Amino acid sequence: MDTTTTAEAIVASLVAHGISTLYALPGVHNDHLFDALFRASDRIGVIHPRHEQGAGYMALGAAVATGRPSAYAVVPGPGLLNTGAALLTAYAMNAPVLALIGQIPDADIGRGLGHLHEIRDQAGIIARLVDFSARVKAPAEASGLVAQAVAAMFTRRRGPAVLECAIDMWGRPGAGPTQAPLAVTEPPIDEDAIGAAAKLLGAAKRPMIICGGGAQAASAEVTALATMLQAPVLGYRRGRGVLDSRDPLSVTLPLGRELWGEADVVLGVGTRLFYPFQQWGIDDKLAVIRIDSDPEEPARVHAPAVALVGDSGPILRRLLDALPAHNAKRPSRKDEMLERHARWNARFEKLSIQRAFLDAIRAELPDDGILVDEVTQMGFVARLAFPVYRPRTFLSPGYQDNLGWGYATALGAQHARPDVPVVAISGDGGFMFTANELATAVRHRIPLVAVVFTDGAFGNVRRIQAEHYGNRLIACDLANPDFVRFAESFGAAAERAKDPGGLRAALRRGFARRDGPTLIEVPVGPMPSPWEFIHMPKVRGG
Ligand SMILES: Cc1ncc(C[n+]2csc(CCOP(=O)(O)OP(=O)(O)O)c2C)c(N)n1
Ligand SMILES: [Mg+2]
């Protein structure tokens, strides 16, 4: 008789998929799971946060910092909903996060009896949030469902997956052997499309490359292609770091818009091209080539000249093989690009308050250190102007732009990448969304450094009310704790930095401390608006 329980099978399957940590918060609905984790503690660790959103965000941070699958587990109903914003953000970021969600007793699902943590149509709610979800209906299905869920996370449009398991299913025996990971099959590369793309790019007078999150695993290929074409590369937010910011061909958002207006052929790699299509305009003088893992994405807004569907790395390698036969000789654009960078840098002088602090961070953060962005004055400018040197070292919350994601997500990134320093930048508004997880950082000795810029306000909202609503300020002032004493009361190291020089020194101390967290409070005043560099008028299509 097979005594392997559903819980044991799921834990063994996580391990088989290389998942060595479960970010999880317990309750009666997953007691069996936690017991199985206890017995497998030589193979898989548990990090327990202080609120379920912390579990979701930590799994998200681990996934985006590594590109590998990560997982979290919570109770149903309120536990699931408490992770809702993290799951939504994981979807928007195409992040491979597996959520294990509890359920009421199997036989009573859908009967509306009002069991502990019951929520109407939990499966229906989940199905709206992710592309792959399923419930474990028998122990023998458990291991296979984990394999299917993880494969789905890396198939077509990447993203999170959810498995539900009823309170009385976890402990049932008869789960059988562990299912090996499924091979993820990529669609065959369309050779005609490769040829068409190589011809278009090879003949282009003003080619340009735009990268999104789907290019993070193809940094070497994008770099080679950019050099071969002398094509500038725009990465904004999720595409930052694909091409090293120190390469003159690496361009910021406003310079990217300028170049979009001049381009004759644009290659979009793993990006929705949201800003170009929605704000900068498109016309038929520009040929757009798309590389995307989601077959529905390339034609969603504008019919592409060529669409290549699949993983960007292998497709770009084929393109690099095919291009030399068609590629026109182009002079180096280095001098031109340096001159254009200098012009935009001069305009960015307006943002010198934010930039001085960001320069201090860049000076102390090693090349492979990770910066986790937030929805703050400092974050907006970091997206525009913080130099990023390596892929997966600038984490930004995608189109959810979900205030408060930062601290807990950065904890997950730091936990999954203990080999590099991670710094989270937050405002006083966003930091307090997950400030409770300072306890998790202390309990699990996670050496994250958090920089909290305190202006006593939801500063971004405040400035909009001041500038556009006749200074009628409402719901934007904040009563803050003393952040240094607050962090110290958890047992974290903490200090206050008054200026960029002080921040540098504090960061040096924080990055050197590898056995626990650091908080650095930086009091600031109102900041200049970055929005003229982000929401810019049309440059094409009349
Ligand atoms: C989940 C969520 N709620 C609300 C907002 C709207 N919002 C954007 S910025 C902001 C204020 C941020 O304040 P703070 O974190 O202190 O940063 P600051 O602007 O002061 O630098 C708010 C409320 C959001 N982006 N996401
Ligand atoms: Mg603030």
Side-chain angles (χ1 to χ4, degrees), residues 121-379:
D121 192 17
Q122 177 165 285
I125 292 166
I126 290 167
R128 292 289 174 105
L129 293 174
V130 296
D131 288 335
F132 180 95
S133 57
R135 178 157 58 88
V136 181
K137 297 204 178 77
E141 289 178 2
S143 184
L145 281 176
V146 172
Q148 279 180 47
V150 175
M153 282 149 55
F154 291 93
T155 304
R156 294 165 66 100
R157 196 179 191 95
R158 278 64 169 140
V162 178
L163 293 179
E164 288 180 282
C165 186
I167 184 168
D168 53 339
M169 187 62 66
W170 288 112
R172 275 194 213 166
T178 306
Q179 159 89 54
L182 298 170
V184 173
T185 45
E186 282 292 316
I189 296 177
D190 179 342
E191 288 300 329
D192 293 343
I194 290 283
K199 277 189 195 126
L200 269 173
L201 284 166
K205 300 247 163 358
R206 310 284 297 175
M208 176 182 184
I209 300 170
I210 303 182
C211 292
Q216 288 290 345
S219 171
E221 292 83 354
V222 168
T223 305
L225 190 66
T227 309
M228 203 181 267
L229 291 167
Q230 283 301 294
V233 177
L234 169 62
Y236 178 59
R237 303 192 60 187
R238 306 226 32 248
R240 303 223 46 214
V242 175
L243 183 64
D244 189 323
S245 296
R246 292 168 294 202
D247 188 318
L249 289 170
S250 165
V251 304
T252 58
L253 186 74
L255 176 51
R257 165 182 165 276
E258 213 172 86
L259 292 158
W260 171 268
E262 300 164 11
D264 56 351
V265 182
V266 167
L267 171 66
V269 185
T271 169
R272 295 169 299 141
L273 294 173
F274 187 83
Y275 277 75
F277 287 159
Q278 303 301 315
Q279 294 187 22
W280 305 343
I282 177 76
D283 55 46
D284 53 19
K285 291 201 262 325
L286 176 61
V288 180
I289 303 169
R290 303 285 299 267
I291 300 178
D292 208 286
S293 60
D294 177 356
E296 286 171 28
E297 178 56 41
R300 189 160 270 145
V301 177
H302 170 82
V306 182
L308 286 148
V309 174
D311 196 8
S312 55
I315 291 173
L316 285 168
R317 289 196 284 281
R318 277 295 301 124
L319 198 50
L320 283 165
D321 290 342
L323 190 60
H326 306 281
N327 202 18
K329 261 209 148 15
R330 291 184 196 82
S332 164
R333 292 183 74 176
K334 184 175 172 194
D335 292 343
E336 175 207 341
M337 296 309 298
L338 290 177
E339 191 265 320
R340 297 177 82 148
H341 283 301
R343 239 181 322 115
W344 277 106
N345 270 329
R347 289 191 59 185
F348 285 157
E349 275 301 306
K350 191 200 153 185
L351 305 172
S352 59
I353 298 179
Q354 290 99 316
R355 290 196 73 187
F357 286 113
L358 293 169
D359 287 348
I361 297 173
R362 185 67 277 179
E364 290 302 323
L365 187 68
D367 285 14
D368 55 359
I370 296 171
L371 182 134
V372 180
D373 162 34
E374 253 286 4
V375 193
T376 86
Q377 305 313 305
M378 223 44 83

Side-chain angles (χ1 to χ4, degrees), residues 448-515:
L448 174 66
V449 177
V451 184
V452 184
F453 293 93
T454 54
D455 62 351
F458 286 136
N460 193 53
V461 175
R462 187 182 198 285
R463 196 185 45 239
I464 290 170
Q465 291 175 355
E467 289 180 2
H468 302 291
Y469 293 86
N471 205 33
R472 291 183 296 279
L473 303 179
I474 179 167
C476 63
D477 62 309
L478 303 175
N480 279 331
D482 176 326
F483 281 99
V484 172
R485 281 169 54 211
F486 176 73
E488 283 172 347
S489 73
F490 284 88
E495 57 182 296
R496 194 166 283 114
K498 291 195 180 57
D499 51 32
L503 176 58
R504 260 194 88 159
L507 284 169
R508 202 170 315 140
R509 289 186 281 274
F511 290 150
R513 191 176 295 122
R514 299 313 291 165
D515 62 348

